[in-house]
Amino acid sequence: MTPRAADRARYDRATAHLDAPVAIVDLDAFDANADDLVRRAAGKPIRVASKSVRCRALLERVLARPGFAGIMSFTLAESLWLARSGFEDVLLAYPSTDRAGFAELAHDPKLAAAVTVMVDDPAQLRLVDDARDGGQEEIRVCLELDTSWQVLGGRVRVGARRSPLHSPAQVADMARAVARRPGFRLVGVMAYEGHVAGVGDSIAGRPVRSRAIRLMQAAARKELAVRRAEVVRAVRTVVPDLEFVNGGGTGSVQHTAAERAVTEIAAGSGLYVPRLFDNYTSFTGRPAALFAHPVVRRPGVGVVTVLGGGYPASGVAGPDRLPVPYLPEGLRYDPQEGPGEVQTPLLGAPADDLLIGDKVWFRHAKAGELCERFDVLRLVEGDKVTASVPTYRGEGYTFL
């Protein structure tokens, strides 16, 4: 029996009493992945990206482990909810225009002490002030550095379009804008190198493209390490007691951790290890989050149909954004249909061994987005479900 076949047998036994669709997290794999992130971070604390987890119980589990500290959230409403729930260090990774949320933050000393908001434009500071509604609490602020690699005088750009702050001078000017404005305190700098951390460098069947990605990433890492250090030095001339410099992501943990200017690493997808994280040379994780759909039809030889399954991930639309049939091994989509909203035909020899009611296990393309489809995660240890915990959706929250 192959390791994947053994996993299928475990998951089927663990969930035999549950009807599909069902979503699970294999806690042995989850914990092993957490250990690997800590190993690669080499002593620097890891701030957990909540968008890649979207389950309070699992955020609590990983933050209880040595090597993890703090949350990186994705909306202000989520940040406030997490802070009210007892999480004491929440960094909002994206600018917000949630006026009601800013008013609440400005009125509540506990929330104001726990939540740090992201800015990269003086207009965002003005929006916060306009939303205070009389609240006088000091707002903790983090600046985001644009990490894109720009060559040929900026005519070629590699990396996500995020912050407008690219140079040390631009970030230092923004730091001075924060320092001059009463009611705000600059505490951190963040720089997410998505073109390194979020792009696999070993694409199956694409050796030339994989080599090109590795060359690009090596050059981009070198440029960013120099620029990030210069940015931090420039900001510290304005705010000497800067609390943190956050960088990295699951795919770049060990590289970013090696930079002296960086004080903490961000990671989250590496806990679940969705399919997009299969294509890295620098680490190998264990798939921890899976979902199953039931076989409801057997249309013919070598074909079964499961209920539902059309769960595409965000990003540029393409085959790599689709869930992948994982267990049993050897199933594939019908190219004429793909994964559907209400049914998904699957082709391959293993289909002939599947019966009506059997489960087919899938892996999502990205991490936390799976939790927007399920209200409960079943936590599996060995061949038993040992707990059932709500996702954000299960607690009644869909923040974005």
Side-chain angles (χ1 to χ4, degrees):
M1 182 180 289
T2 67
R4 277 174 60 175
D7 283 341
R8 180 195 174 202
R10 286 197 301 115
Y11 301 150
D12 283 347
R13 287 196 299 270
T15 62
H17 62 296
L18 298 171
D19 289 334
V22 62
I24 67 167
V25 172
D26 183 331
L27 290 181
D28 291 338
F30 182 91
D31 291 344
N33 293 334
D35 288 341
D36 186 64
L37 289 171
V38 170
R39 176 189 63 79
R40 291 196 287 135
K44 291 190 176 176
I46 299 170
R47 185 181 292 273
V48 183
S50 64
K51 79 176 185 65
S52 300
V53 180
R54 303 193 201 201
C55 171
R56 277 200 304 166
L58 290 174
L59 289 172
E60 291 168 352
R61 182 184 183 90
V62 72
L63 286 170
R65 302 176 68 87
F68 291 86
I71 288 176
M72 178 176 283
S73 58
F74 59 96
T75 73
L76 181 55
E78 178 210 17
S79 305
L80 299 175
W81 177 62
L82 291 172
R84 289 193 299 269
S85 300
F87 295 95
E88 297 179 347
D89 180 5
V90 182
L91 169 63
L92 174 57
Y94 306 89
S96 176
T97 59
D98 180 353
R99 298 173 190 274
F102 283 128
E104 184 177 359
L105 188 64
H107 278 87
D108 191 316
K110 178 183 175 183
L111 296 180
V115 175
T116 301
V117 304
M118 192 67 61
V119 300
D120 55 35
D121 188 312
Q124 295 156 350
L125 300 176
R126 293 193 293 272
L127 186 147
V128 174
D129 271 341
D130 290 345
R132 283 179 180 270
D133 192 29
Q136 297 299 312
E137 293 299 324
E138 187 176 61
I139 305 300
R140 292 168 54 86
V141 168
C142 178
L143 305 182
E144 180 170 2
L145 167 68
D146 169 41
T147 66
S148 64
W149 182 42
Q150 300 183 12
V151 295
L152 299 178
R155 291 191 295 274
V156 176
R157 173 194 178 103
V158 179
R161 295 184 181 275
R162 292 176 62 112
S163 171
L165 307 177
H166 187 80
S167 70
Q170 289 173 316
V171 183
D173 284 345
M174 187 65 206
R176 284 187 281 271
V178 175
R180 287 194 299 263
R181 198 171 189 97
F184 295 89
R185 179 157 61 96
L186 179 57
V187 298
V189 172
M190 186 193 85
Y192 171 58
E193 53 269 41
H195 50 299
V196 178
V199 178
D201 62 354
S202 180
I203 305 170
R206 305 287 299 275
V208 175
R209 179 172 175 78
S210 297
R211 173 66 174 165
I213 290 172
R214 288 195 290 273
L215 290 173
M216 175 277 291
Q217 290 179 337
R221 286 199 306 267
K222 183 177 179 180
E223 184 274 335
L224 179 59
V226 172
R227 180 159 52 93
R228 182 155 38 198
E230 293 173 350
V231 164
V232 172
R233 284 195 295 271
V235 172
R236 288 192 186 279
T237 65
V238 181
V239 184
D241 58 344
L242 199 66
E243 292 180 17
F244 64 86
V245 177
N246 180 282
T250 289
S252 69
V253 170
Q254 66 274 27
H255 302 298
T256 309
E259 295 182 32
R260 292 183 61 185
V262 174
T263 65
E264 63 176 40
I265 309 299
S269 296
L271 296 168
Y272 286 169
V273 186
R275 64 167 295 195
L276 283 178
F277 286 85
D278 288 347
N279 303 320
Y280 287 78
T281 57
S282 59
F283 75 101
T284 301
R286 291 173 55 184
L290 301 96
F291 63 96
H293 286 288
V295 173
V296 293
R297 286 175 169 159
R298 293 170 50 87
V301 176
V303 186
V304 292
T305 302
V306 299
L307 184 70
Y311 300 166
S314 59
V316 179
D320 67 335
R321 300 292 147 164
L322 300 179
V324 60
Y326 185 60
L327 301 171
E329 298 179 67
L331 293 173
R332 65 187 187 279
Y333 293 125
D334 181 335
Q336 301 300 314
E337 295 194 47
E341 178 187 8
V342 291
Q343 71 165 36
T344 297
L346 297 169
L347 312 180
D352 293 329
D353 296 323
L354 290 169
L355 304 176
I356 300 295
D358 284 351
K359 294 181 175 77
V360 175
W361 295 91
F362 295 77
R363 292 172 64 201
H364 204 272
K366 296 183 74 174
E369 292 180 19
L370 170 64
C371 294
E372 299 300 329
R373 300 284 183 169
F374 291 88
D375 56 6
V376 172
L377 296 175
R378 312 292 181 169
L379 306 185
V380 173
E381 296 182 78
D383 61 357
K384 291 182 172 56
V385 171
T386 57
S388 297
V389 296
T391 61
Y392 282 8
R393 173 178 168 173
E395 297 201 64
Y397 294 97
T398 51
F399 291 108
L400 193 61

